[in-house]
Amino acid sequence: MNTVPIMPAITLQGVTCRFGEVRAVDAVDLHIGGGSLFFLLGPSGCGKTTLLRTIAGFQEPSQGRVLLGDRDITSLPPERREAGMVFQGYALWPHMSVLENVAFGLEVRRVPVTERRRRAMEALDMVHMADLADRRPGQLSGGQQQRVALARAIVFRPQVLLLDEPLSNLDARLRLEMRGLIRSVCDEVRMTTVYVTHDQAEALSLADGIAVMRQGRVVQQGTPQDLYRRPCSRFVAEFMGRINLLPATVSAADPKGCTLVTALGELPCGTGGMRPGASLHAGIRPESLRIAPEGSIRGSCRRSVYLGEMAQHEVETPAGTLLVLEQDPGRASRAGEILSLRVERDAVIALND
């Protein structure tokens, strides 16, 4: 399939979706850059799928507007939004071949037969399924069916691609394989893509941008690195990955950082704008704790788990148990050892609840 120009941005302005007294989506303002692969991330029931369905046109908002570029599409039906959607359950026609499934949307759009077949084969080639074009969906594995669903969504060259937890039914190996495929397809076709998931590893490994949702609202938006290294709250920090949390008090602060008093002593922190005297949590990712002779944090290693490329240690300290990830470990276990740990200033995060 030929590379296309970058597609329009998606803008949500005050989008609210009510179901009786429940606000599944609550006054969401969001801008998704044209041609980007953007993730809606959050726990079950946070409103991310409802928001995706609103962009697709399957759910009409109670309030607010949905814009595609400069065009207001809030009231348009799904078939007029130029959006391809990949559902969690594939939704392939069992009586049609792979080729017929992919070409069906072109048939509905009255594309001539020869052109229809050519474009369907191009889409299948992009997802490495052209050699199975004559098979039926029931003859395919789950991963192969997901590839066909992706080809069907992009074959009519939509402006927007919407993915609703597309990898949730696949095993771990296939999820990794499909992540790479989705990223390569998005890079090639440059469609504005919105991807819903509760899996932070998918989001961190694929996304250009992420919005974390909670109870119908967007609580933080940014790049994967922003959300992982500078979460705005304890909720975002814990949702984005494992983190050690220590009760702390701000003893000194300036616009560029602060000093946090914890059970481990004073920890310099790279979070600016804190109020002296404030009570909060100091957050430290397990991989940011380094085993080093000059480290100021000492504790006894209670348990080690060897994972090959890294080892995971549980270290008892005056502040409780800290989780430590050691990259390229020299030994399988450090259980029983007294460890000295060091943490860099910029790796300590000040977190409000």
Side-chain angles (χ1 to χ4, degrees):
M1 184 176 291
N2 295 328
T3 302
V4 296
I6 292 177
M7 296 299 182
I10 299 169
T11 305
L12 307 178
Q13 298 177 342
V15 170
T16 296
C17 296
R18 296 190 190 91
F19 300 99
E21 297 298 315
V22 177
R23 290 194 177 204
V25 175
D26 191 5
V28 168
D29 294 309
L30 195 61
H31 180 79
I32 299 170
S36 65
L37 176 51
F38 192 90
F39 274 66
L40 298 175
L41 180 66
S44 297
C46 71
K48 56 188 184 295
T49 293
T50 301
L51 197 59
L52 189 78
R53 289 173 56 82
T54 302
I55 296 170
F58 298 123
Q59 175 65 49
E60 185 174 353
S62 308
Q63 291 175 227
R65 299 200 303 161
V66 181
L67 305 178
L68 183 59
D70 297 328
R71 187 164 62 107
D72 188 335
I73 63 171
T74 311
S75 300
L76 291 182
E79 65 270 16
R80 293 183 58 196
R81 296 197 180 200
E82 289 301 308
M85 189 156 182
V86 178
F87 298 92
Q88 186 175 342
Y90 315 140
L92 302 177
W93 297 102
H95 63 285
M96 292 182 178
S97 70
V98 165
L99 181 63
E100 289 167 340
N101 265 280
V102 174
F104 182 74
L106 299 176
E107 182 179 352
V108 170
R109 290 168 174 80
R110 301 182 184 277
V111 175
V113 174
T114 303
E115 175 70 4
R116 196 158 71 214
R117 179 179 174 84
R118 183 186 68 80
R119 285 170 57 178
M121 289 301 295
E122 282 184 351
L124 285 170
D125 187 58
M126 185 177 293
V127 299
H128 313 305
M129 286 293 293
D131 57 337
L132 300 180
D134 294 329
R135 290 196 184 180
R136 298 287 177 88
Q139 298 173 296
L140 305 178
S141 68
Q144 289 169 333
Q145 290 185 54
Q146 192 60 279
R147 290 168 184 262
V148 176
L150 181 57
R152 183 184 56 186
I154 65 176
V155 70
F156 66 95
R157 300 169 185 168
Q159 294 185 319
V160 174
L161 177 62
L162 306 174
L163 305 168
D164 186 10
E165 302 206 40
L167 309 185
S168 61
N169 294 329
L170 304 181
D171 63 34
R173 183 185 63 80
L174 283 175
R175 282 201 300 272
L176 286 173
E177 184 179 307
M178 284 299 296
R179 282 181 200 171
L181 178 65
I182 288 171
R183 181 72 256 188
S184 66
V185 168
C186 289
D187 287 342
E188 184 168 347
V189 300
R190 305 295 293 279
M191 281 182 287
T192 307
T193 302
V194 186
Y195 188 126
V196 161
T197 187
H198 61 272
D199 187 330
Q200 53 89 11
E202 282 180 25
L204 289 173
S205 62
L206 292 177
D208 297 314
I210 301 171
V212 177
M213 296 187 67
R214 184 185 192 187
Q215 298 178 341
R217 291 179 172 269
V218 172
V219 293
Q220 189 173 357
Q221 178 182 355
T223 66
Q225 187 175 20
D226 288 338
L227 269 63
Y228 188 79
R229 297 187 62 82
R230 288 291 174 260
C232 68
S233 67
R234 179 175 175 174
F235 170 79
V236 175
E238 291 184 302
F239 197 82
M240 294 305 297
R242 292 175 296 185
I243 192 165
N244 297 294
L245 294 170
L246 311 176
T249 302
V250 179
S251 66
D254 60 45
K256 295 183 178 180
C258 61
T259 300
L260 302 178
V261 178
T262 73
L264 298 176
E266 290 191 344
L267 294 176
C269 172
T271 307
M274 296 291 105
R275 177 176 57 84
S279 295
L280 37 73
H281 282 85
I284 307 172
R285 298 286 183 194
E287 67 274 14
S288 296
L289 286 164
R290 309 293 172 83
I291 299 172
E294 73 278 12
S296 60
I297 303 170
R298 290 178 63 81
S300 173
C301 183
R302 184 178 68 182
R303 183 169 178 261
S304 289
V305 178
Y306 182 70
L307 300 172
E309 74 275 12
M310 67 179 68
Q312 178 179 292
H313 309 299
E314 295 177 10
V315 181
E316 288 292 342
T317 74
T321 302
L322 297 181
L323 187 64
V324 179
L325 291 182
E326 181 185 8
Q327 302 292 331
D328 191 21
R331 62 190 71 138
S333 176
R334 290 183 178 271
E337 292 184 30
I338 300 298
L339 299 181
S340 177
L341 307 174
R342 175 174 57 85
V343 61
E344 298 297 334
R345 176 178 187 267
D346 288 342
V348 180
I349 314 163
L351 295 168
N352 294 305
D353 290 338

